[in-house]
Amino acid sequence: MKKVVLILIISLFAFAKEYSIIAFSTKTFNKKAAQKFIARFPNGVVKQYTRFVEYKIEPFGSYQEARSYLIKVRKFYKHPLIIPYNPNLGIVLYPKNKESFVKIKKRNVKIVSQVVNTEKNNKNKWLPYCKNECGCKIKKRYSWEINKTVILSSLNIKVKDYLKNENNKTVVLKGQNNRPHISENNNTVYENNICQLPSFSNYIFYLDIYGNLFKGQKDKKRLFGDNENIKLGIMYEKYFWNNWKFFTDSRIILSRNNYSGDISNKIYLDINELYIRSFCLNCDLANILIGRKKTEDFRSWWYDAPLDEIMIFNEYNLFTYQLIAATRINNETVTDDNSPKAKLKNSSFFILHSNYEYFYRNNLGFYYIYEHSKPNDGHVKNRKLSFLGIDLNGIRKNIFYWLNLGYSGGKIDKYTKTYRSEGYGFDIGFKAPYSQKFSYAASYAFGSGSNYFTQPYIATNYSDYLNKNISFRYYGEVLNPILENLHIVSLYGIYDMNPRESILASVHNYRQDVKKKSYFNTRYFYPTSGKSKDIGKEIDFVYQYYIEKQKKLKIGAGYFFGGDAFDYLKEKNAYRIFLNYRYYWK
C-alpha cells in the first residue's frame, strides 16, 4: 500500500528505460528541505511533475538496480517508491544548475519490464489521472495535476506530508465522511469519489468604463466616430446540492455612440452570463452546463461569444472535450466598438471541440462547428457553414508555438450575391524569450480567397494567448479583419514591466490572396478597389495593468496605413485609441 500513490503517474513514463527512487511530498516546495536532501544524496534532484513535489534519486538502468540501492537509503525516506524515469518531463526546482548533477554510473544490467507492485497478488492499475481535484474549488497551479479525490476513495489510504514544516507539524488528510480538510496552503481537499462542494455564495460588484475614439477612411465624407459605455455590474455565484453551481454576471449599461455625426444614447440591462453547471459527475467525465455562457476557445480563432447553450464537457483530464448546442435569444451583445458580430439573434451553432495534452504542456485539439447565423449586418443576411480544424500548441525549450488549421464549407448569402465557401486557412507562429522581461513573437496567417475560406461568425481573434497579463486583437486593433482572402504577417514584442503590468507592440502586413472588393470587420473601412492585393500595414501598442478581482487599466492605440487597394480614396489611413478601466469591490 505504501508504494501505490505514485503509480498514478506511471502512465507518463510508458516509454521510459530508466528508473528513479522517489519520495513524494504533498507540500509546496521547501528550499531548506531540498538543500538537506541534495546534501544527503548528490544524485538527487527535486522536481515537479504534478501538483506534488518529488524528491528523487536518479537514474538507474533497471528496476533491480534501483531496488538494490533503495535498501541502503530506505531509512532516510518516508514511503519511498521506484518509478519509471523520463528526463524530458517535469520542472526542476532544486538544484537550479542542472550541470551540478552527479549521475550514477550505469551498470550493464538488462532492463526488466517490471515496475512497482501495489500489493501481493494485485495487478498494477492505471489510476484515474486528472488535472484538478475533480472539480473542487482548488486553485490550479500546474499544467498537470493529480485527482487525489479518486485516489483517496479508491485506495482508502491516508495522504501525509512526507516532509515536516518549520513547526514540526504534519498535515494529515483523512478520508472520512467526505469532510473537507484545509491543507497548509489553505486549499480545500475533498476526499471522496464524489467531491461534494460546500454550500456557500459569493458576490462582487464592478464598475467598467470604456472609451473609444476612431477616425476611419475618407471618401466623399469623413468616417469618424467614438463610443463610450459605463457598466455597473454584479457577479454572483452560489454552490448548491453538493455538486452544482449557479453563476450570473449582470450589469446595467449606459451607452453612447457617435458614428458619422449620428449620436445615440441608451440605457439597458445586459445579462452577460447566467448559467448553472455541475461538478464532479463521473470524476468530471461528463459535466453539464445550461444557460448563457461566454464560450471561447484557446485563441478565439474558432469561437468567442456569450451564447445561450447546453454544454456537455470534461475540463480537467488530459483529454478534454466540449459538446455545445447554442443560440442567441436577443441581440444585446456588447462589444467594445459595437461590431456587427454582436447581431446573432436567432442564430444557431453546434460545436464539438476536443483537446489532448499528449505531452507536458503540449496540446492537440480537434474542432467541428456548424453555424446557421443570421447577422443581418448590412452585408450578410444568412450563413450556413461547417468548419473543421485542428489546433496544435505547446512549449518546447522555452519556445511557445501554435498552429491553427481550418476548413470552411457551405453557403454565405449576401444581399448582392450568394457565395460558396470551400476554402482552407491556417495560422502558425511562435513566441520566444529574449530576456527575463522581454519576449518576441511572429506569426503568419492565411485564408484562401479563390475558394473563399472564412472563420465562424462567433470568432473574435481577441485573446491573451501570448501573455496572460494582456489581451489584444492579434490581427490588428484597427483593421481587425476576419481571416478570409488574406495573408497576414505579424511581429510582436512583449515587455513585462512587473507581474501586473505589460506592454505589447505589434506590426501587421496585410495582402489579399485574390483581388476582390472586400469589406472588413469594422464599419470604418470602405471596400477595397479590387485592383490591387496590397491592403496595407498597421502598428499597435497596448498597455495593461491588471490585478485579478481588484482593478484593471488598459490603454491602447493603433494606426493603419492603407495600401494600393485603397488608392481610390481621398484618405486611406485610419486610427483607433481606446481606454478601459474596471474596478471590483464587495
Side-chain angles (χ1 to χ4, degrees):
M1 192 67 69
K2 296 178 180 179
K3 299 180 181 180
V4 173
V5 181
L6 254 284
I7 297 179
L8 58 95
I9 62 172
I10 291 179
S11 58
L12 301 180
F13 314 106
F15 302 101
K17 295 183 178 180
E18 297 175 329
Y19 293 85
S20 293
I21 297 175
I22 180 171
F24 196 10
S25 173
T26 58
K27 279 196 153 191
T28 55
F29 173 65
N30 184 301
K31 186 176 180 180
K32 290 183 178 180
Q35 289 173 334
K36 182 178 180 180
F37 178 82
I38 298 299
R40 179 175 290 157
F41 304 112
N43 304 88
V45 60
V46 180
K47 282 193 175 184
Q48 184 111 36
Y49 286 147
T50 62
R51 176 184 295 276
F52 302 132
V53 178
E54 300 173 348
Y55 292 80
K56 306 176 64 175
I57 300 176
E58 60 180 357
F60 297 90
S62 70
Y63 175 78
Q64 284 85 351
E65 186 179 352
R67 185 178 180 181
S68 175
Y69 189 82
L70 177 60
I71 295 174
K72 302 176 183 178
V73 299
R74 184 183 295 274
K75 63 180 179 180
F76 299 113
Y77 280 99
K78 289 187 177 181
H79 311 304
L81 311 172
I82 301 175
I83 66 167
Y85 163 77
N86 189 329
N88 297 318
L89 297 178
I91 303 173
V92 176
L93 302 178
Y94 197 89
K96 293 184 178 180
N97 182 7
K98 295 183 180 181
E99 296 180 356
S100 66
F101 293 1
V102 180
K103 294 295 182 182
I104 297 176
K105 185 177 180 180
K106 300 178 185 178
R107 292 194 291 267
N108 294 324
V109 181
K110 185 177 180 180
I111 298 174
V112 180
S113 60
Q114 181 184 6
V115 292
V116 185
N117 291 320
T118 58
E119 288 183 350
K120 279 188 177 182
N121 301 323
N122 259 5
K123 296 181 179 179
N124 295 327
K125 295 182 179 180
W126 299 105
L127 300 178
Y129 188 89
C130 300
K131 286 187 180 181
N132 206 337
E133 309 298 328
C134 200
C136 291
K137 288 283 292 179
I138 296 180
K139 185 176 180 181
K140 189 166 69 172
R141 298 189 176 188
Y142 298 96
S143 296
W144 285 15
E145 295 175 340
I146 295 175
N147 185 345
K148 290 181 289 187
T149 299
V150 174
I151 295 170
L152 288 166
S153 175
S154 301
L155 304 178
N156 192 25
I157 63 173
K158 296 178 181 180
V159 175
K160 297 181 179 180
D161 277 335
Y162 301 136
L163 294 178
K164 293 182 179 180
N165 58 23
E166 296 178 357
N167 298 323
N168 292 323
K169 295 180 180 179
T170 301
V171 179
V172 180
L173 306 180
K174 297 182 179 180
Q176 297 177 357
N177 301 324
N178 195 44
R179 292 179 298 182
H181 302 268
I182 307 300
S183 62
E184 80 283 356
N185 56 0
N186 293 323
N187 285 336
T188 305
V189 179
Y190 298 84
E191 300 152 12
N192 199 304
N193 191 350
I194 303 175
C195 53
Q196 296 181 346
L197 295 166
S199 294
F200 70 90
S201 60
N202 189 22
Y203 66 90
I204 188 170
F205 296 99
Y206 64 89
L207 174 68
D208 188 287
I209 301 173
Y210 175 82
N212 177 74
L213 176 63
F214 204 118
K215 185 186 78 68
Q217 296 173 323
K218 182 179 178 181
D219 192 7
K220 296 180 180 179
K221 61 180 180 179
R222 181 180 299 274
L223 279 177
F224 66 95
D226 55 73
N227 68 81
E228 302 91 30
N229 57 61
I230 300 175
K231 306 169 189 167
L232 180 61
I234 179 173
M235 296 181 185
Y236 173 79
E237 63 180 359
K238 170 71 175 178
Y239 292 86
F240 62 98
W241 295 348
N242 298 323
N243 301 96
W244 290 84
K245 170 186 172 181
F246 168 80
F247 177 80
T248 183
D249 175 7
S250 304
R251 58 265 187 108
I252 296 175
I253 300 178
L254 174 63
S255 177
R256 173 188 177 275
N257 303 318
N258 177 17
Y259 297 116
S260 303
D262 299 326
I263 298 177
S264 65
N265 297 278
K266 59 181 179 178
I267 182 170
Y268 56 93
L269 172 67
D270 175 59
I271 307 298
N272 187 41
E273 291 188 296
L274 192 155
Y275 62 84
I276 60 171
R277 62 151 293 175
S278 67
F279 290 89
C280 312
L281 299 187
N282 299 316
C283 188
D284 282 321
L285 293 179
N287 281 296
I288 187 169
L289 181 147
I290 303 174
R292 178 168 296 177
K293 178 74 169 65
K294 189 177 187 300
T295 304
E296 57 188 336
D297 66 82
F298 170 61
R299 293 177 55 229
S300 304
W301 203 77
W302 289 108
Y303 55 91
D304 179 4
L307 298 173
D308 303 313
E309 64 189 45
I310 297 175
M311 175 168 63
I312 300 173
F313 64 99
N314 170 19
E315 59 185 340
Y316 291 126
N317 285 37
L318 298 182
F319 176 80
T320 62
Y321 68 89
Q322 293 177 326
L323 190 63
I324 304 170
T327 185
R328 180 74 194 192
I329 297 174
N330 68 335
N331 263 340
E332 297 295 351
T333 303
V334 177
T335 60
D336 289 343
D337 59 357
N338 286 348
S339 165
K341 282 180 173 290
K343 300 176 181 179
L344 293 174
K345 185 177 180 180
N346 298 325
S347 299
S348 58
F349 303 89
F350 174 80
I351 302 170
L352 169 61
H353 170 208
S354 62
N355 183 83
Y356 178 60
E357 190 170 7
Y358 66 93
F359 193 73
Y360 180 64
R361 300 167 75 184
N362 289 264
N363 300 275
L364 175 64
F366 168 77
Y367 294 84
Y368 170 74
I369 300 173
Y370 175 76
E371 168 192 326
H372 183 192
S373 59
K374 302 175 182 179
N376 193 24
D377 63 0
H379 306 299
V380 180
K381 62 179 180 179
N382 192 22
R383 289 165 43 117
K384 292 184 178 180
L385 294 170
S386 293
F387 301 89
L388 285 170
I390 60 172
D391 170 33
L392 185 67
N393 67 82
I395 297 178
R396 289 291 179 91
K397 297 182 179 179
N398 292 326
I399 296 178
F400 170 57
Y401 66 91
W402 67 89
L403 168 66
N404 275 100
L405 178 63
Y407 161 84
S408 67
K411 291 183 179 181
I412 302 175
D413 293 327
K414 296 190 176 183
Y415 283 96
T416 57
K417 188 178 179 181
T418 297
Y419 291 87
R420 180 71 186 176
S421 175
E422 292 287 350
Y424 296 87
F426 64 83
D427 183 295
I428 186 170
F430 73 93
K431 174 190 171 184
Y434 180 78
S435 64
Q436 186 176 3
K437 292 188 174 183
F438 179 76
S439 57
Y440 59 92
S443 67
Y444 171 51
F446 167 75
S448 62
S450 58
N451 295 316
Y452 201 72
F453 169 81
T454 187
Q455 293 174 268
Y457 211 70
I458 50 176
T460 64
N461 297 323
Y462 181 81
S463 183
D464 61 355
Y465 73 99
L466 282 185
N467 189 306
K468 292 304 177 183
N469 288 341
I470 190 166
S471 54
F472 66 104
R473 293 170 169 168
Y474 61 86
Y475 289 151
E477 295 286 346
V478 186
L479 186 66
N480 189 26
I482 303 169
L483 186 59
E484 56 185 42
N485 190 32
L486 275 179
H487 299 263
I488 306 175
V489 177
S490 304
L491 300 175
Y492 306 92
I494 305 103
Y495 181 71
D496 292 310
M497 305 170 67
N498 55 59
R500 296 173 178 172
E501 290 182 280
S502 298
I503 297 176
L504 181 142
S506 61
V507 178
H508 308 276
N509 183 74
Y510 310 99
R511 190 172 182 82
Q512 284 185 321
D513 180 40
V514 178
K515 295 178 186 178
K516 286 184 180 179
K517 291 186 177 182
S518 299
Y519 283 93
F520 294 92
N521 196 22
T522 68
R523 60 188 305 165
Y524 297 100
F525 287 90
Y526 287 94
T528 53
S529 64
K531 297 180 180 180
S532 173
K533 294 182 179 181
D534 180 22
I535 301 299
K537 297 177 177 61
E538 181 177 324
I539 184 169
D540 301 314
F541 295 94
V542 181
Y543 161 83
Q544 184 165 300
Y545 174 82
Y546 184 50
I547 303 177
E548 186 177 6
K549 292 298 180 285
Q550 186 174 348
K551 65 177 64 174
K552 167 188 172 183
L553 173 63
K554 185 176 179 181
I555 302 172
Y559 198 92
F560 172 77
F561 302 88
D564 296 342
F566 295 107
D567 278 349
Y568 74 98
L569 297 174
K570 292 182 179 179
E571 187 173 327
K572 57 186 180 180
N573 299 342
Y575 67 78
R576 176 175 179 253
I577 302 171
F578 62 90
L579 180 145
N580 185 205
Y581 175 75
R582 177 173 283 210
Y583 181 74
Y584 299 90
W585 77 93
K586 279 203 169 188

